[in-house]
Amino acid sequence: QRGKDAHSHVGKEVQELCLIIRSTGEVGEDGHVSVTFGQLFETYVTISNKVVGILLRARKHGLVHFEGEMLWQGKDDDVIITLL
């Protein structure tokens, strides 16, 4: 049961992340919403300090795309995260 609860909680965090990207990002010519990591980090950090882990989970589920294996605050602030 604990495993199911944890999975449900992570799923809710991924959904919340996608909503934040949709509300703070901009729609590109391809119709996808994108936001920079720096902008997302500044917005999301007030909600959760696990933004990178949630981003990795969202990418694993095919919900977002970004270049690189890991994102670092400061160094990767200009990396574009696209909601798929």
Side-chain angles (χ1 to χ4, degrees), residues 40-58:
L40 180 63
F41 189 89
E42 288 300 317
T43 303
Y44 198 83
V45 74
T46 60
I47 300 164
S48 171
N49 61 357
K50 300 177 282 185
V51 65
V52 174
I54 300 301
L55 273 171
L56 292 173
R57 177 69 60 126

Side-chain angles (χ1 to χ4, degrees), residues 8 31 35-36 38 40 48 50-51 56 67-68 75 77 82-83:
S8 174
V35 65
T36 64
L40 180 63
S48 171
K50 300 177 282 185
V51 65
L56 292 173
E67 295 296 323
K75 175 180 163 281
D77 283 352
T82 303
L83 189 60

Side-chain angles (χ1 to χ4, degrees), residues 1-9:
Q1 182 63 39
R2 279 183 37 194
K4 287 182 182 179
D5 290 344
H7 183 73
S8 174
H9 178 71

Side-chain angles (χ1 to χ4, degrees), residues 2-76:
R2 279 183 37 194
K4 287 182 182 179
D5 290 344
H7 183 73
S8 174
H9 178 71
V10 169
K12 288 176 185 175
E13 285 188 332
V14 168
Q15 288 177 345
E16 183 178 11
L17 176 74
C18 290
L19 287 173
I20 291 169
I21 292 171
R22 191 171 284 115
S23 67
T24 60
E26 296 182 13
V27 179
E29 291 180 15
D30 61 0
H32 292 289
V33 177
S34 298
V35 65
T36 64
F37 176 64
Q39 182 181 4
L40 180 63
F41 189 89
E42 288 300 317
T43 303
Y44 198 83
V45 74
T46 60
I47 300 164
S48 171
N49 61 357
K50 300 177 282 185
V51 65
V52 174
I54 300 301
L55 273 171
L56 292 173
R57 177 69 60 126
R59 179 168 65 179
K60 179 179 176 185
H61 289 283
L63 300 171
V64 299
H65 170 76
F66 56 89
E67 295 296 323
E69 292 298 314
M70 181 63 73
L71 295 172
W72 304 97
Q73 184 185 11
K75 175 180 163 281
D76 294 319

